[in-house]
Amino acid sequence: MSVISAPYTFNEEDLYVDLESILGRRLFLKCEGFNFAGSIKLKPATEMVEAAEQLGVLTPRSVLLESSSGNMGVALSMIAASKGYRFLCVTDSRCNLSTRLVMEALGAQVHVITEPSAHGGFLRARLDYVRALSALDKRYVWLSQYTNPGNWRAHYRRTAPSIARSFPGLDVLFVGAGTTGTLMGCARYFRQWHRPVRIVAVDSVGSVTFGGTPGRRMLPGLGMSVSPPLLDESYVDEAVHVEEADTIRACHHLARRGFLFGGSTGTVVSGAMRWLAAHDSAGLTSVAIAPDLGERYLETVYQANWVQALYGADALHPDDAVAVGAPGSWETEPARLRDADGGRASDTGGGRVNPT
């Protein structure tokens, strides 16, 4: 029996779904959505807030400030409500309506950016707004999930060790790439582990994280329109890019078996299945991290009119061969090293606080 007094203290860490009977390949899906924030973002949100408290930058007068496409905003809304802080989330028009409503129900203020920046898309526009607001009022404490080491440290301390305990013979780990906090925390941990683990990053087509061509991305969560400052590609063995239509097909395929997962999870599962199909995966122990559940995607990924208008009718009828990893609209490539600075800190950094 679990008895708690603060919502951020609970997280189901040891739940996995064996996808072999559903998708035809041996893959264990680590489910990170079973906490009161509904996603893996609870861990880094807690880590960053508590680090800021320890440094003394958070006071009763402080207003937490963050840019988020959704899940980090919900996690910080919950923590702020529990700890008595005010919170302003700066998001954009791609954020799911249900996600915005959850944040507001928890007492957060939500500001929606409606126009993307000409250079850097919606993320750049959100960050420009956050920087301007931070400069105007010292009460705002910007945690900056894009540069804050607490983002990856949470997964180094919690997510990766949990996987290692459950799968001591792990061969391949699939991790979605957004801010790259989860990716970097897990990759750093397993680089030091007792056996080699292949780290495969899963990204969205249209993301520039691994040097891809910028393009339209309608699903919040994975992918970046600027280079993520936290990313160190030397820790990543490969990057797989997934079309959003294939994300939707994977989500619908899983839903037909009773598992309602979110868009980020659909991307990771699609990328993992295709990687396994392209490699000699017999006998490999493979784990993929599922960041979210599907309830917040009911008006997008699981809404027929929305899907058909953006991706066409084919996305509504997942082909079984595609779902289990037949060749399709995807690509995999070795992760490329970049210069040590890579221009990243100037891309997304800044703000009043970056706890270490």
Side-chain angles (χ1 to χ4, degrees), residues 112 118 202 276 311 353:
V112 180
V202 184
L276 292 170
Y311 306 102
V353 57

Side-chain angles (χ1 to χ4, degrees), residues 123-304:
L123 176 56
R124 175 74 67 185
R126 291 187 343 228
L127 293 172
D128 288 345
Y129 184 88
V130 168
R131 287 194 189 94
L133 198 59
S134 297
L136 285 175
D137 193 333
K138 293 184 178 180
R139 291 177 303 165
Y140 288 105
V141 176
W142 178 19
L143 296 174
S144 187
Q145 62 167 319
Y146 310 99
T147 61
N148 194 321
N151 190 343
W152 67 260
R153 196 173 290 137
H155 303 291
Y156 181 90
R157 291 173 174 172
R158 297 184 59 187
T159 308
S162 171
I163 295 170
R165 288 192 300 270
S166 297
F167 295 91
L170 180 66
D171 296 301
V172 186
L173 179 65
F174 299 95
V175 189
T179 65
T180 68
T182 308
L183 176 64
M184 285 294 94
C186 291
R188 281 187 168 93
Y189 180 89
F190 284 111
R191 176 65 63 86
Q192 302 167 359
W193 207 33
H194 68 90
R195 56 173 288 149
V197 174
R198 192 163 193 83
I199 302 297
V200 180
V202 184
D203 198 8
S204 299
V205 170
S207 167
V208 305
T209 296
F210 295 97
T213 302
R216 184 190 75 167
R217 291 182 296 110
M218 301 303 297
L219 298 177
L222 300 186
M224 292 276 280
S225 55
V226 299
S227 298
L230 295 177
L231 177 63
D232 181 344
E233 291 187 45
S234 67
Y235 287 94
V236 182
D237 295 297
E238 293 179 64
V240 177
H241 290 83
V242 176
E243 295 276 3
E244 288 190 332
D246 290 334
T247 291
I248 292 167
R249 292 185 183 101
C251 286
H252 282 241
H253 191 85
L254 291 168
R256 288 179 178 180
R257 297 298 187 93
F259 291 102
L260 194 71
F261 284 108
S264 296
T265 298
T267 301
V268 173
V269 168
S270 179
M273 286 293 111
R274 290 186 170 105
W275 189 95
L276 292 170
H279 293 75
D280 182 11
S281 59
L284 289 181
T285 298
S286 303
V287 170
I289 297 177
D292 53 3
L293 300 177
E295 287 86 350
R296 293 173 192 161
Y297 294 83
L298 293 179
E299 72 273 16
T300 54
V301 168
Y302 296 103
Q303 214 288 322

Side-chain angles (χ1 to χ4, degrees), residues 15 48 94 125 139 236 278 347:
L15 177 63
M48 292 188 298
R94 298 171 303 171
R139 291 177 303 165
V236 182
D347 283 334

